[in-house]
Amino acid sequence: MPFTPPRESYSGKIFEETIGSGPKAITVGGENVLPFHSFEGATPHKPVIAFEVQDVPPEDWPEVVKEVYKGVSGDPVTWAKYCIEKLGAETIALRLVGTHPDRQNFSPDEAAETVRKMLAAIDVPLIILGSQHAEKDSSVLIKCAEAAKGTNSVLGKAQEANHKTIVAAAMANDLKLIAMSELDINLSKQLNILITQMGFDKAKLMTDPMSSALSYGLEYTYSVMERIKLAALAQNDPTLQPPILADVGMMVWKVKETQAPEADMPAWGSLKDRGIAWEAVTAASFLIAGAEVLIMRHPDSINAVKKFIAEMEV
Amino acid sequence: MALTGVEIFKLLPKTNCKKCGQPTCLAFAMKLAQRQASLDQCPDVSAEAKQKLGEASAPPIRPIKLGTGDRAVKMGEETVLFRHEKKFVNPCALAVAMKDTASGADAQKLIDAVLGSEIDRVGQKLRIDAIAITNDSGDPGKFEAMAKLVAEKAPAVAVILSTTSPDAAEAALKHFSNKGAVLYGANASNLDAMAAWAKAAKATLGIAAASLDELSDLTEKAKAAGVEDMVIDSGARKAGEIIRDNTLIRRAAIKKNVKSVGYPVITFAMRDDNMLETLVASAAIAKYSSIVVLSSMEKWKDLALFSLRQNIYTDPQVPMQVEQKIYKIGEPGPEAPFMITTNFSLTYFIVSGEIENSKVPARLAVLDSEGLSVLTAWAAGKFTASKIAQFIKESGIEGELGGTKELIIPGYVAILSGSIEDKLEGWKITVGPREANGLPAFLKSRVA
């Protein structure tokens, strides 16, 4: 008896969003089916991976990933150009971690200057990230948004506590915006509603439901992403139709599995392969669950995930 | 399609004899409808009812055991497409391929690796579950020799015998009679012979199709030939094909009750590129495969895949909890910082991760708050001054600490500091940061 494939069609569709400008601009989203379900609907754009660079040298990154950028990570622009020219980065995520009051406490003007230099030096899309210090981010990201005016960059992350100023800044400077809340579909929905009620176009939003690392809560992020996608597609809920962003590298490269040397944990095997696999498996899982934009750190993990994405085309 | 409880009830003896363990036939019918009981529990059911109900009450994906004894792996029995709906029940088995062309030394090495692959992870023992012997030589003699070696050296390990030759199958299966083995490789040209050998050895038949249509056709033919236990392969190899076919199979089995694909899926993830293989295997674990065959074992790869399998198969309705106790991070001396938090696993992971990041050795007390995070536990009365004080007193930690007895509490429950101080005589209570990401700076500033 022939097999009748039980295909699904959905009334909803993920917003199609272009980031950056010029020939290197990238478009994500646009699909009307679950991740990689090209057999029953449209999946016009591949997920995109942004290489993470920081405004200060990555002292707190584990050796496996720090050593890759040795020699270039002293300066964010040099670092980003290395990612683009040598490692094939199609997008850069600049994390202004040096603005955190517990780090270098860079001023909003200093951060904006870094953003300005970065935008002048690179031609790929830029994701501008604060230090996730809710209060400091609101002052830092206002200045950074002004520096990025008209570049169609992505600004983030707006959280419940600081969204008003950051949303206003993104709106005034015509930027895309990341809205982050903590591992709960209802919180994601609520924040997206608050943001659109301020007049921000929901088709310029990205939802960050909060990432996690393999073995450290991955299943929470995974299921929140799946539920967001199902609500967006099956229930046609426009507040959950922005593409999903997963900030993978920062969650992965702080867990024990990416740091403990093989000498200490002989049952865990090679530290280098383990670290790369930890980042790649976390990232691939989130792609399967619904992420369209990933922020990652190690070029080998990124390459593996790119090959994985390529294998999804059938 | 599945029958309702009332439809099932009409087919039962209606004697309310209680032999099934339920008070009434109706109660038993309801249990059957919810798949919480099996028809075998009713001794008086008629043959006609059995036939009708057997079809309808069978789980949409047939339960099958891989291997025997303590290491046997249950497969199938899944009832949902998404893990947030209901727990995925039977974690997929991981198998490693062993070519029958491998040298004796290489084979021994792989067997040793499989036997030594078990690790303890958050209280669960995880391991490579099976060896898949592949008939690369095409020679039944070589295939049998490898099967014999595995049967002798690793008698407790489940085996998948992969060949399209009925002669090779017959020879190798002699060593795995009644051992819960899988005979993989049944296709359109060898089905009858393969089915016969699988039945003779009480092995599960692995269907090797080239498409979903052919798969459905082959399982029906095998069933007609008397085979009940099968694992199925639609021929999907690329990651996108695996996602597509596994999704269609799971949907057909669960939502349409299509019996011809209501079997556990076996997926071959082997790649030359080991990192890519790890990701393809990850996709298979997340999306519905019951057996994933890998080309090799490395400790880092095993750890990553074990961890993903554990994450995906966690019960979404039960908050993950860690054990109530005082955890040491690094090698804390008597004067090292001493902190307390709740036992929600995510809270514990994040807090302990940030303490590790600080590189400051410390002690972290984890109070059983029924898996709630700090604020929720406090609001629900599970993280109170008296519970904290009692736990600290009973833990015997006082003896381990130096002169200053200081407890650092989460910033979100700063309000508790006074009442804890009242209940813990001689202790100083310090309010720590509200968010775990404030811990590294907080801890560093204290030791500076």
Side-chain angles (χ1 to χ4, degrees), chain A residues 1 3 6 8 39-40 102 215 217-220 223 226-227 254 257 266 273 307-308 311 313-314, chain B residues 82-84 121 213 216 238-241 244 251 255 271 273 279 287 299-300 308 311 344 346 354 441:
Chain A
M1 196 177 77
F3 179 78
E8 298 273 2
F39 55 89
E40 58 191 3
D102 295 340
S215 238
L218 176 138
E219 69 272 28
Y220 294 92
S223 282
E226 285 203 326
R227 292 182 62 195
K254 66 178 187 188
E257 284 75 2
D273 289 325
K307 286 182 200 163
F308 176 73
E311 257 208 39
E313 279 180 24
V314 291
Chain B
F82 300 100
R83 63 174 295 283
H84 61 261
R121 193 100 179 127
D213 271 342
S216 159
K238 283 178 72 177
E241 295 168 346
R244 178 194 65 202
R251 271 188 203 155
K255 298 176 86 172
R271 297 286 184 284
D273 179 334
L279 299 187
K287 289 296 169 190
K299 286 173 178 169
W300 58 266
L308 181 66
N311 285 170
F344 177 37
L346 210 54
E354 292 293 355

CSV table of all heavy atoms in Angstrom, one decimal, chain A residues 1 3 6 8 39-40 102 215 217-220 223 226-227 254 257 266 273 307-308 311 313-314, chain B residues 82-84 121 213 216 238-241 244 251 255 271 273 279 287 299-300 308 311 344 346 354 441:
chain,number,residue,atom,x,y,z
A,1,MET,N,0.9,-1.2,0.0
A,1,MET,CA,0.0,0.0,0.0
A,1,MET,C,0.9,1.2,0.0
A,1,MET,O,1.8,1.3,0.8
A,1,MET,CB,-0.9,0.0,1.3
A,1,MET,CG,-2.0,0.9,1.2
A,1,MET,SD,-3.1,0.8,2.6
A,1,MET,CE,-2.2,1.7,3.9
A,3,PHE,N,2.3,4.9,0.7
A,3,PHE,CA,2.3,5.7,2.0
A,3,PHE,C,1.8,7.1,1.6
A,3,PHE,O,2.3,7.7,0.7
A,3,PHE,CB,3.8,5.8,2.5
A,3,PHE,CG,3.9,6.6,3.7
A,3,PHE,CD1,3.5,6.1,5.0
A,3,PHE,CD2,4.4,7.9,3.7
A,3,PHE,CE1,3.7,6.9,6.1
A,3,PHE,CE2,4.5,8.7,4.8
A,3,PHE,CZ,4.2,8.2,6.0
A,6,PRO,N,1.4,12.5,5.5
A,6,PRO,CA,0.5,13.4,6.2
A,6,PRO,C,1.1,14.8,6.3
A,6,PRO,O,1.8,15.2,7.3
A,6,PRO,CB,0.3,12.8,7.6
A,6,PRO,CG,1.5,12.0,7.8
A,6,PRO,CD,2.1,11.6,6.5
A,8,GLU,N,1.4,18.9,6.6
A,8,GLU,CA,0.7,20.0,7.3
A,8,GLU,C,0.9,21.3,6.6
A,8,GLU,O,1.9,21.5,6.0
A,8,GLU,CB,1.4,20.2,8.7
A,8,GLU,CG,1.4,19.0,9.6
A,8,GLU,CD,0.1,18.9,10.5
A,8,GLU,OE1,-0.8,19.8,10.3
A,8,GLU,OE2,0.0,18.0,11.3
A,39,PHE,N,9.7,20.1,2.7
A,39,PHE,CA,8.9,19.2,1.9
A,39,PHE,C,7.5,19.6,1.9
A,39,PHE,O,6.7,19.0,1.2
A,39,PHE,CB,9.1,17.8,2.4
A,39,PHE,CG,8.8,17.6,3.9
A,39,PHE,CD1,7.6,17.3,4.4
A,39,PHE,CD2,9.8,17.8,4.8
A,39,PHE,CE1,7.3,17.2,5.7
A,39,PHE,CE2,9.6,17.7,6.2
A,39,PHE,CZ,8.3,17.4,6.7
A,40,GLU,N,7.1,20.5,2.7
A,40,GLU,CA,5.6,20.9,2.7
A,40,GLU,C,5.4,22.4,2.7
A,40,GLU,O,4.2,22.8,2.9
A,40,GLU,CB,4.9,20.2,4.0
A,40,GLU,CG,5.5,20.6,5.3
A,40,GLU,CD,5.0,19.8,6.4
A,40,GLU,OE1,4.2,18.8,6.2
A,40,GLU,OE2,5.3,20.0,7.6
A,102,ASP,N,31.0,46.2,36.0
A,102,ASP,CA,31.9,45.3,36.6
A,102,ASP,C,33.1,45.1,35.8
A,102,ASP,O,34.1,44.4,36.2
A,102,ASP,CB,31.3,44.0,37.1
A,102,ASP,CG,30.2,44.2,38.1
A,102,ASP,OD1,30.3,45.3,38.8
A,102,ASP,OD2,29.4,43.3,38.2
A,215,SER,N,23.1,20.3,28.2
A,215,SER,CA,23.2,19.8,29.6
A,215,SER,C,22.9,20.9,30.6
A,215,SER,O,22.9,20.6,31.8
A,215,SER,CB,24.6,19.2,29.8
A,215,SER,OG,24.4,17.9,30.2
A,217,GLY,N,20.1,23.1,30.8
A,217,GLY,CA,18.8,23.7,30.5
A,217,GLY,C,18.5,23.8,29.0
A,217,GLY,O,17.5,24.5,28.6
A,218,LEU,N,19.3,23.2,28.1
A,218,LEU,CA,19.0,23.2,26.7
A,218,LEU,C,17.5,22.9,26.4
A,218,LEU,O,16.9,23.5,25.5
A,218,LEU,CB,19.9,22.2,25.9
A,218,LEU,CG,19.6,22.1,24.4
A,218,LEU,CD1,21.0,22.0,23.7
A,218,LEU,CD2,18.8,20.8,24.1
A,219,GLU,N,17.0,21.9,27.1
A,219,GLU,CA,15.6,21.5,26.8
A,219,GLU,C,14.6,22.6,27.0
A,219,GLU,O,13.5,22.6,26.4
A,219,GLU,CB,15.3,20.2,27.6
A,219,GLU,CG,15.1,20.4,29.1
A,219,GLU,CD,16.4,20.2,29.9
A,219,GLU,OE1,17.5,20.5,29.3
A,219,GLU,OE2,16.4,19.8,31.1
A,220,TYR,N,14.9,23.5,27.9
A,220,TYR,CA,13.9,24.6,28.2
A,220,TYR,C,13.9,25.5,26.9
A,220,TYR,O,12.8,25.8,26.4
A,220,TYR,CB,14.3,25.4,29.4
A,220,TYR,CG,14.2,24.6,30.7
A,220,TYR,CD1,15.3,23.9,31.2
A,220,TYR,CD2,13.0,24.5,31.4
A,220,TYR,CE1,15.2,23.2,32.4
A,220,TYR,CE2,12.9,23.8,32.6
A,220,TYR,CZ,14.0,23.1,33.0
A,220,TYR,OH,13.9,22.4,34.2
A,223,SER,N,12.3,23.7,23.9
A,223,SER,CA,10.8,23.6,23.9
A,223,SER,C,10.1,25.0,23.8
A,223,SER,O,9.1,25.1,23.2
A,223,SER,CB,10.3,22.8,25.1
A,223,SER,OG,10.5,21.5,24.9
A,226,GLU,N,10.2,25.7,20.1
A,226,GLU,CA,9.2,24.9,19.4
A,226,GLU,C,7.8,25.5,19.6
A,226,GLU,O,7.0,25.6,18.7
A,226,GLU,CB,9.3,23.4,19.8
A,226,GLU,CG,10.5,22.7,19.3
A,226,GLU,CD,10.3,21.2,19.2
A,226,GLU,OE1,9.6,20.6,20.0
A,226,GLU,OE2,10.8,20.6,18.2
A,227,ARG,N,7.5,25.9,20.8
A,227,ARG,CA,6.2,26.4,21.1
A,227,ARG,C,6.0,27.7,20.4
A,227,ARG,O,4.9,28.0,20.0
A,227,ARG,CB,6.0,26.5,22.6
A,227,ARG,CG,5.9,25.1,23.3
A,227,ARG,CD,5.7,25.3,24.8
A,227,ARG,NE,4.4,25.9,25.1
A,227,ARG,CZ,4.1,26.4,26.3
A,227,ARG,NH1,4.9,26.3,27.3
A,227,ARG,NH2,2.9,26.9,26.4
A,254,LYS,N,31.0,28.8,28.9
A,254,LYS,CA,31.3,29.0,30.3
A,254,LYS,C,30.9,27.8,31.1
A,254,LYS,O,31.2,27.8,32.3
A,254,LYS,CB,30.5,30.3,30.8
A,254,LYS,CG,29.0,30.1,30.8
A,254,LYS,CD,28.3,31.3,31.3
A,254,LYS,CE,26.8,31.1,31.5
A,254,LYS,NZ,26.1,32.3,31.8
A,257,GLU,N,32.0,21.6,30.7
A,257,GLU,CA,32.4,20.7,29.6
A,257,GLU,C,33.3,21.4,28.6
A,257,GLU,O,33.9,20.7,27.8
A,257,GLU,CB,31.1,20.2,29.0
A,257,GLU,CG,30.4,19.1,29.7
A,257,GLU,CD,29.7,19.6,30.9
A,257,GLU,OE1,29.6,20.8,31.2
A,257,GLU,OE2,29.1,18.8,31.7
A,266,PRO,N,39.1,12.5,32.5
A,266,PRO,CA,39.5,11.6,31.4
A,266,PRO,C,38.3,10.9,30.7
A,266,PRO,O,38.4,10.6,29.5
A,266,PRO,CB,40.3,10.5,32.2
A,266,PRO,CG,40.1,10.7,33.6
A,266,PRO,CD,39.7,12.2,33.8
A,273,ASP,N,37.9,19.1,21.0
A,273,ASP,CA,36.7,18.5,20.3
A,273,ASP,C,35.4,18.7,21.1
A,273,ASP,O,34.4,18.9,20.6
A,273,ASP,CB,37.0,17.0,20.0
A,273,ASP,CG,38.0,16.8,18.9
A,273,ASP,OD1,38.1,17.7,18.0
A,273,ASP,OD2,38.8,15.9,19.0
A,307,LYS,N,27.8,23.2,7.5
A,307,LYS,CA,27.7,21.9,6.8
A,307,LYS,C,26.4,21.2,7.1
A,307,LYS,O,25.7,20.7,6.2
A,307,LYS,CB,28.8,21.0,7.1
A,307,LYS,CG,30.2,21.4,6.5
A,307,LYS,CD,31.2,20.4,6.8
A,307,LYS,CE,32.6,20.9,6.7
A,307,LYS,NZ,33.6,20.1,7.4
A,308,PHE,N,26.0,21.3,8.3
A,308,PHE,CA,24.7,20.7,8.8
A,308,PHE,C,23.5,21.4,8.1
A,308,PHE,O,22.6,20.7,7.6
A,308,PHE,CB,24.6,20.8,10.3
A,308,PHE,CG,23.4,20.4,10.9
A,308,PHE,CD1,23.1,19.0,11.0
A,308,PHE,CD2,22.5,21.3,11.4
A,308,PHE,CE1,21.9,18.6,11.6
A,308,PHE,CE2,21.3,20.8,12.1
A,308,PHE,CZ,21.0,19.5,12.2
A,311,GLU,N,23.3,20.3,4.5
A,311,GLU,CA,22.7,18.9,4.4
A,311,GLU,C,21.2,18.9,4.6
A,311,GLU,O,20.6,17.9,4.3
A,311,GLU,CB,23.3,18.0,5.5
A,311,GLU,CG,24.4,17.1,5.0
A,311,GLU,CD,24.4,15.8,5.8
A,311,GLU,OE1,23.4,15.3,6.2
A,311,GLU,OE2,25.5,15.3,6.0
A,313,GLU,N,19.2,20.7,2.9
A,313,GLU,CA,18.6,20.9,1.6
A,313,GLU,C,18.4,19.6,0.9
A,313,GLU,O,19.4,18.9,0.7
A,313,GLU,CB,19.4,21.9,0.8
A,313,GLU,CG,19.2,23.3,1.2
A,313,GLU,CD,20.0,24.3,0.4
A,313,GLU,OE1,20.4,23.9,-0.8
A,313,GLU,OE2,20.2,25.4,0.9
A,314,VAL,N,17.2,19.2,0.6
A,314,VAL,CA,17.0,17.9,-0.1
A,314,VAL,C,16.2,18.1,-1.3
A,314,VAL,O,15.5,19.1,-1.5
A,314,VAL,CB,16.3,16.9,0.8
A,314,VAL,CG1,17.3,16.5,2.0
A,314,VAL,CG2,15.0,17.4,1.4
B,82,PHE,N,5.9,16.6,19.9
B,82,PHE,CA,6.7,17.6,20.5
B,82,PHE,C,6.9,17.3,22.0
B,82,PHE,O,5.9,17.0,22.7
B,82,PHE,CB,6.1,19.0,20.3
B,82,PHE,CG,5.9,19.3,18.8
B,82,PHE,CD1,4.7,19.1,18.2
B,82,PHE,CD2,7.0,19.8,18.1
B,82,PHE,CE1,4.5,19.4,16.9
B,82,PHE,CE2,6.8,20.0,16.8
B,82,PHE,CZ,5.6,19.9,16.1
B,83,ARG,N,8.1,17.5,22.5
B,83,ARG,CA,8.4,17.1,23.9
B,83,ARG,C,7.6,18.0,24.9
B,83,ARG,O,7.5,17.5,26.0
B,83,ARG,CB,9.9,17.0,24.1
B,83,ARG,CG,10.6,18.3,24.0
B,83,ARG,CD,12.1,18.2,24.4
B,83,ARG,NE,12.2,17.8,25.9
B,83,ARG,CZ,12.0,18.7,26.8
B,83,ARG,NH1,11.7,20.0,26.6
B,83,ARG,NH2,12.2,18.3,28.1
B,84,HIS,N,7.2,19.2,24.5
B,84,HIS,CA,6.5,19.9,25.5
B,84,HIS,C,5.0,19.4,25.8
B,84,HIS,O,4.4,19.7,26.8
B,84,HIS,CB,6.4,21.4,25.1
B,84,HIS,CG,5.7,21.7,23.9
B,84,HIS,ND1,6.3,21.9,22.7
B,84,HIS,CD2,4.4,21.8,23.6
B,84,HIS,CE1,5.5,22.1,21.7
B,84,HIS,NE2,4.3,22.1,22.2
B,121,ARG,N,25.8,10.5,34.6
B,121,ARG,CA,25.5,11.8,34.2
B,121,ARG,C,24.2,12.3,35.0
B,121,ARG,O,23.1,11.7,34.7
B,121,ARG,CB,25.3,11.9,32.7
B,121,ARG,CG,25.3,13.3,32.2
B,121,ARG,CD,26.7,13.7,31.6
B,121,ARG,NE,26.5,15.0,31.0
B,121,ARG,CZ,27.3,16.0,31.3
B,121,ARG,NH1,28.3,15.8,32.1
B,121,ARG,NH2,27.1,17.2,30.8
B,213,ASP,N,7.2,4.9,0.5
B,213,ASP,CA,6.3,4.0,-0.1
B,213,ASP,C,6.8,2.6,0.0
B,213,ASP,O,6.0,1.7,0.4
B,213,ASP,CB,6.1,4.4,-1.6
B,213,ASP,CG,5.1,5.4,-1.9
B,213,ASP,OD1,4.2,5.6,-0.9
B,213,ASP,OD2,5.1,6.0,-2.9
B,216,SER,N,6.6,1.2,3.6
B,216,SER,CA,5.2,0.8,4.0
B,216,SER,C,4.8,-0.5,3.4
B,216,SER,O,4.2,-1.4,4.0
B,216,SER,CB,4.3,2.0,3.7
B,216,SER,OG,3.0,1.6,3.6
B,238,LYS,N,20.7,11.9,4.2
B,238,LYS,CA,21.0,13.3,4.5
B,238,LYS,C,20.2,13.9,5.6
B,238,LYS,O,19.1,13.4,5.8
B,238,LYS,CB,20.7,14.2,3.2
B,238,LYS,CG,21.8,14.0,2.1
B,238,LYS,CD,21.4,14.8,0.9
B,238,LYS,CE,21.6,16.3,1.1
B,238,LYS,NZ,21.2,17.1,-0.2
B,239,ALA,N,20.7,14.9,6.3
B,239,ALA,CA,20.1,15.4,7.5
B,239,ALA,C,18.6,15.8,7.2
B,239,ALA,O,17.7,15.6,7.9
B,239,ALA,CB,20.8,16.6,8.1
B,240,GLY,N,18.5,16.5,6.0
B,240,GLY,CA,17.1,17.0,5.6
B,240,GLY,C,16.2,15.8,5.4
B,240,GLY,O,15.0,15.9,5.7
B,241,GLU,N,16.7,14.7,4.8
B,241,GLU,CA,15.8,13.6,4.5
B,241,GLU,C,15.4,12.9,5.9
B,241,GLU,O,14.3,12.4,6.0
B,241,GLU,CB,16.6,12.5,3.7
B,241,GLU,CG,16.9,13.0,2.3
B,241,GLU,CD,17.9,12.1,1.5
B,241,GLU,OE1,18.5,11.3,2.2
B,241,GLU,OE2,18.0,12.3,0.3
B,244,ARG,N,12.7,15.0,7.4
B,244,ARG,CA,11.5,14.8,6.6
B,244,ARG,C,10.8,13.5,6.8
B,244,ARG,O,9.7,13.4,7.3
B,244,ARG,CB,11.8,15.0,5.1
B,244,ARG,CG,10.6,14.8,4.2
B,244,ARG,CD,11.0,14.6,2.7
B,244,ARG,NE,11.8,13.3,2.6
B,244,ARG,CZ,12.6,13.1,1.6
B,244,ARG,NH1,12.9,14.0,0.6
B,244,ARG,NH2,13.3,11.9,1.5
B,251,ARG,N,4.2,11.4,12.4
B,251,ARG,CA,2.9,12.0,12.2
B,251,ARG,C,1.9,10.9,11.8
B,251,ARG,O,0.8,10.8,12.3
B,251,ARG,CB,2.9,13.0,11.1
B,251,ARG,CG,3.2,14.4,11.6
B,251,ARG,CD,3.0,15.4,10.4
B,251,ARG,NE,3.7,16.6,10.6
B,251,ARG,CZ,4.1,17.4,9.5
B,251,ARG,NH1,3.8,17.0,8.3
B,251,ARG,NH2,4.7,18.5,9.8
B,255,LYS,N,-0.8,10.4,14.5
B,255,LYS,CA,-2.0,11.2,14.2
B,255,LYS,C,-3.0,10.4,13.3
B,255,LYS,O,-4.2,10.6,13.3
B,255,LYS,CB,-1.7,12.5,13.6
B,255,LYS,CG,-0.9,13.4,14.5
B,255,LYS,CD,-0.4,14.7,13.9
B,255,LYS,CE,-1.5,15.7,14.0
B,255,LYS,NZ,-1.0,17.1,13.6
B,271,ARG,N,29.4,9.5,8.9
B,271,ARG,CA,30.0,10.5,8.0
B,271,ARG,C,31.5,10.4,8.1
B,271,ARG,O,32.0,10.1,9.2
B,271,ARG,CB,29.6,12.0,8.4
B,271,ARG,CG,28.1,12.3,8.4
B,271,ARG,CD,27.7,12.5,6.9
B,271,ARG,NE,26.3,12.9,6.9
B,271,ARG,CZ,25.2,12.1,7.0
B,271,ARG,NH1,25.4,10.9,7.4
B,271,ARG,NH2,24.0,12.6,6.9
B,273,ASP,N,33.2,13.2,8.2
B,273,ASP,CA,33.5,14.3,9.0
B,273,ASP,C,32.8,14.1,10.4
B,273,ASP,O,31.6,14.0,10.5
B,273,ASP,CB,32.9,15.5,8.3
B,273,ASP,CG,33.0,16.8,9.1
B,273,ASP,OD1,33.2,16.8,10.4
B,273,ASP,OD2,33.0,17.9,8.5
B,279,LEU,N,26.4,16.1,14.6
B,279,LEU,CA,25.2,17.0,14.4
B,279,LEU,C,24.1,16.3,13.7
B,279,LEU,O,22.9,16.4,14.1
B,279,LEU,CB,25.6,18.3,13.6
B,279,LEU,CG,26.7,19.1,14.3
B,279,LEU,CD1,26.9,20.4,13.5
B,279,LEU,CD2,26.3,19.4,15.7
B,287,LYS,N,14.7,14.4,16.6
B,287,LYS,CA,13.6,14.2,15.8
B,287,LYS,C,13.4,12.7,15.5
B,287,LYS,O,13.5,12.3,14.4
B,287,LYS,CB,13.7,15.0,14.5
B,287,LYS,CG,13.5,16.5,14.8
B,287,LYS,CD,12.0,16.8,15.3
B,287,LYS,CE,11.9,18.3,15.8
B,287,LYS,NZ,10.6,18.5,16.6
B,299,LYS,N,35.1,9.8,23.2
B,299,LYS,CA,34.5,10.2,24.5
B,299,LYS,C,33.8,11.5,24.4
B,299,LYS,O,32.7,11.7,25.0
B,299,LYS,CB,35.6,10.2,25.6
B,299,LYS,CG,36.0,8.8,26.0
B,299,LYS,CD,37.2,8.8,26.9
B,299,LYS,CE,37.6,7.4,27.3
B,299,LYS,NZ,38.9,7.5,28.0
B,300,TRP,N,34.4,12.5,23.7
B,300,TRP,CA,33.7,13.8,23.6
B,300,TRP,C,32.4,13.7,22.9
B,300,TRP,O,31.4,14.3,23.2
B,300,TRP,CB,34.7,14.8,23.0
B,300,TRP,CG,35.1,14.5,21.6
B,300,TRP,CD1,36.3,13.8,21.3
B,300,TRP,CD2,34.5,14.7,20.3
B,300,TRP,NE1,36.4,13.7,19.9
B,300,TRP,CE2,35.3,14.2,19.3
B,300,TRP,CE3,33.3,15.3,20.0
B,300,TRP,CZ2,34.9,14.3,18.0
B,300,TRP,CZ3,32.9,15.4,18.6
B,300,TRP,CH2,33.7,14.9,17.6
B,308,LEU,N,22.6,15.3,25.0
B,308,LEU,CA,21.5,15.8,24.2
B,308,LEU,C,20.3,14.8,24.4
B,308,LEU,O,19.1,15.3,24.6
B,308,LEU,CB,21.8,15.9,22.7
B,308,LEU,CG,20.7,16.4,21.9
B,308,LEU,CD1,20.3,17.9,22.2
B,308,LEU,CD2,21.0,16.3,20.4
B,311,ASN,N,18.7,15.5,27.6
B,311,ASN,CA,17.9,16.8,27.6
B,311,ASN,C,16.6,16.6,26.9
B,311,ASN,O,15.5,17.0,27.4
B,311,ASN,CB,18.7,17.9,26.9
B,311,ASN,CG,19.8,18.5,27.8
B,311,ASN,OD1,20.6,19.2,27.3
B,311,ASN,ND2,19.9,18.1,29.0
B,344,PHE,N,16.1,24.0,42.0
B,344,PHE,CA,15.7,23.9,40.6
B,344,PHE,C,17.0,23.8,39.8
B,344,PHE,O,17.9,24.5,40.0
B,344,PHE,CB,15.0,25.3,40.2
B,344,PHE,CG,14.6,25.4,38.8
B,344,PHE,CD1,14.1,24.3,38.1
B,344,PHE,CD2,14.7,26.6,38.2
B,344,PHE,CE1,13.8,24.4,36.8
B,344,PHE,CE2,14.3,26.8,36.8
B,344,PHE,CZ,13.8,25.7,36.1
B,346,LEU,N,18.0,24.3,36.9
B,346,LEU,CA,18.5,25.5,36.1
B,346,LEU,C,19.1,26.5,37.0
B,346,LEU,O,20.2,27.1,36.7
B,346,LEU,CB,17.3,26.1,35.3
B,346,LEU,CG,17.7,26.7,34.0
B,346,LEU,CD1,18.4,25.8,33.1
B,346,LEU,CD2,16.4,27.2,33.3
B,354,GLU,N,28.4,30.2,37.4
B,354,GLU,CA,28.9,31.6,37.6
B,354,GLU,C,30.0,31.5,38.8
B,354,GLU,O,30.9,32.3,38.7
B,354,GLU,CB,27.8,32.6,38.0
B,354,GLU,CG,26.9,32.9,36.8
B,354,GLU,CD,27.5,33.6,35.6
B,354,GLU,OE1,28.7,34.0,35.7
B,354,GLU,OE2,26.9,33.8,34.6
B,441,ALA,N,31.8,39.0,39.9
B,441,ALA,CA,32.3,40.3,40.4
B,441,ALA,C,32.2,40.4,41.9
B,441,ALA,O,33.1,40.8,42.6
B,441,ALA,CB,31.6,41.5,39.7
